[in-house]
Amino acid sequence: MESEKFQDRHIGISAEEEKVMLAKIGLNSLDELIDQTIPQNIRLKSGLKLPEALSEHEYAEEMALMASKNRICASYIGMGWYDTVCPAPIFRNVFENPVWYTSYTPYQAEISQGRLEALMNFQTMVSELTGLPLSNCSLLDEATAGAEAAAMMYALRSRDQIKNEANKLFVDKNIFPQTLAVINTRTEPQGIKVVVGDYKSFEFDNSFFGAIIQYPNSNGNIENYTAFTEKAHDAACKVAVATDLMALTLLIPPGEWGADIAFGSSQRFGIPMFYGGPSAGFFATKEDYKRNVPGRIIGVSKDAYGKAAYRMALQTREQHIKREKATSNICTAQALLATMAGFYAVYHGPEGLKNIAKRIHSATALIADELKALGYTILNEQYLDTLKIGFPSGVSQYSIREYAEMRDINLRYYEAGEVGLSIDETITEYKAHELLAVFSLAAGRSEVYMIDDLPEKMVISDKFLRKSEYLTNEVFNSYHTETELMRYIKRLDRKDISLAHSMISLGSCTMKLNAASEMLPLGHAGFQNIHPFAPQSQTQGYTELIGELGEYLKEITGFAGVSFQPNSGAAGEYAGLMTIRKYQESIGQGHRNIILIPASAHGTNPASAIQAGYETVTVDCDAQGNVVLEDLQAKADQHKDNLAGCMITYPSTHGIFEKEIKEMCKVVHEKGGQVYMDGANMNAQVGLTNPGFIGADVCHLNLHKTFAIPHGGGGPGEGPICVAEHLVPFLPHHPELDGSTVNTVASAPFGSAGILPITYGYIRMMGAEGLTRATKIAILSANYLAECFKNTYGVVYRGTTGRVGHELILECRKVKDTSGITESDIAKRLMDYGYHAPTLSFPVHGTLMIEPTESESLAELDRFVDTMNQIWVEIKEVENGTYTKEDNVLVNAPHPEYEICADEWKHAYPRSKAAYPLEFVKNNKFWINVARIDNAYGDRNLITCLCDMG
């Protein structure tokens, strides 16, 4: 008897519904549709060779076994990752709550007020702890944040510095090695020369534009950088500081001693180590630099009735809008983890955070005293939580390591022979006892340490201690009991639309089901509590997971090698381009610097190419949305001596499978270039075709799209790259994994490894059959919607046979011409029906791009169709004069609860039309918190911190 299949739970369309949909589009079979959609010459000749699909129960058992193969040890390695206590109400009510983890990036602010407030909490926390007034709402990790700081300082050079070609960046030698490695990778193609040295003896000259230092530094030392910072400023150089938010609860913040930028990781604010991630990087700076800050910024504006409302500020800086003029290529950030870190600060409050830091420091000071009594040397003059330790005669690093591993303790082992340890909030009397026992045994001493208490102790010099207050806003001083925090979290999640409410039809973003069975393994301690630099003998479970998943992705993409290091899609784009760069340098073709990018490519492609040091040339598309092969050929010919490659999104962002894709690859290869295929739309390829078979050389995969990792309000993401055989040697390396810094692009060797079990589960439970069917159903659903809308809005682009791929672009420009109603009005009106808008004005201005995905049922698709059709009726009511262009349900949308419930109603249409436009809305009304938000006001009056709100 056949057991239940996971694919039947994941895929929303049943066999009977499939027949109904096929009949609607005039076809007899799904295969007939696929034959009309995907060119025959790129169709795979055989199915995917993947293991037989597991049931959900079998997957749960396999993951429990895999997690058990990771050996959990007490981790004192530090270097940017620390064991933490994630408060249970945050882990359960946020991390495991689909309202938080399935929501999309908050471009539509009116239905994102909850997570925008949570991210504002994060920004406020970062700004007040760092002493700098402007923060973004997270970056990928500490190392990439450091690279962004370097790029920003370079972009902020004065006219004289640009004229003098100042291109040198000083980096202090005592910075985390992985941060230095990523800075080196990211600065090289920008023409920035990194100079590593000792800040104490370094002298600036006019060839330098900036400096990066660490506080406390990699060895744990607290240094006084005031004089150094003044010296840098006197030389017209800016200073960026890698720092630790927990340390800043006790230490004078960088902003108070003159730093221009502060960056780091918020991981130790309640986020598990997860073998390297995900955890949110942070970035704070002076308000003068608001136009240059990388990533997204949450600001405050007002709605149509003057009510304060949160929104993403300065959206015109977004990389897909700026394209090749973007100052960064950031797309996915770590919004979900930033939200959790913000709630951690809310839960503990300023006094709670300070007490945690004091306890960490007290334990460190106690251990330091006991080590000195045993004859060890503490090589730190001033420290918070990290000690660098020298040995008495007869003690070696080897003996320390031997005794430590016997007790399941991981320490940091320096190349020069010293040992380091970093204390975290999980320290207990017993753990301190065990740690000291290691050093006692190694020293041949017989002391038995029975520590009954960790007494408060402060050995940091007063000149380093913080005097200024922080986190004084009410939100950080109100929710310190679980009941209050739980209710606060609930109040916020009620303000957000997510996949828990309705279909999110965003094109190019694949908002598919993130199955609970895929998510559950993330709660295993064996996946959570592993340091990314733990010995490989302790990480067998992760090694198996990463190895097997890599083989699956190579099979799916048709490539020979894979790297999991890039921790977002755009980071994958960058890593892929850098892999191409290193390969071409190896064959004496390093001068190649031109990347061809079709107008139909994914929005981050031009920005990523510029960040990788290339010049971009746009290739034209015709009126049907196809890349003009003749233009590609002409531009490849024109740049043949310097052509590095071409970035192609397939199917294109126009939503079509171009039949000449193989010819495009051939043109580029004939001129010596490499083909980069953007994997944003892999949801339309899996099991039917693949980049390797088509002829590409490298692709990235958005695991947060095609492979079921949740979007989390803007992140976490993971963007592994797969490459052809000749590119394998040039994949990203990592100094802590293999000793090499070639193409290091993330803090951790495997990026955000902690979320890889989700993708592993998706593939293992779907199996080859389920993955292939998912692709077919995604294409069926898109074509079903195209058929439903063809006589109303109309579809902008179709393939040569009249079919769309897995997404479609609705034409809204004609609507504006006849009624004055814009695509934005339609997007806002969708909120009244309980829907998130499709992608707005991208890739074509004045349109809406829809991607239904395979996860949605026919009932949900039909509800969306009914909604869009009713909005069409409402548009016609404006056109025929039933309602004026100035007062109608579209231009006034969305209608917030407070307006609907007000005693006064000023509109010509009834309240019922505004609030309950269709019968189904009455049964599941999503009440909106604010009216339409004034974006321009928010940009003119930029407020990014709760302390500035009055």
Side-chain angles (χ1 to χ4, degrees), residues 315-326:
Q315 289 191 36
T316 53
R317 304 174 314 116
E318 286 281 294
Q319 74 295 323
H320 64 275
I321 298 171
K322 298 288 283 185
R323 295 178 69 84
E324 66 277 353
K325 295 180 181 179

Side-chain angles (χ1 to χ4, degrees), residues 85 245 307 310 319 661 773 792:
V85 178
L245 294 179
K307 180 179 178 180
Y310 299 103
Q319 74 295 323
I661 183 65
R773 178 165 172 76
T792 50

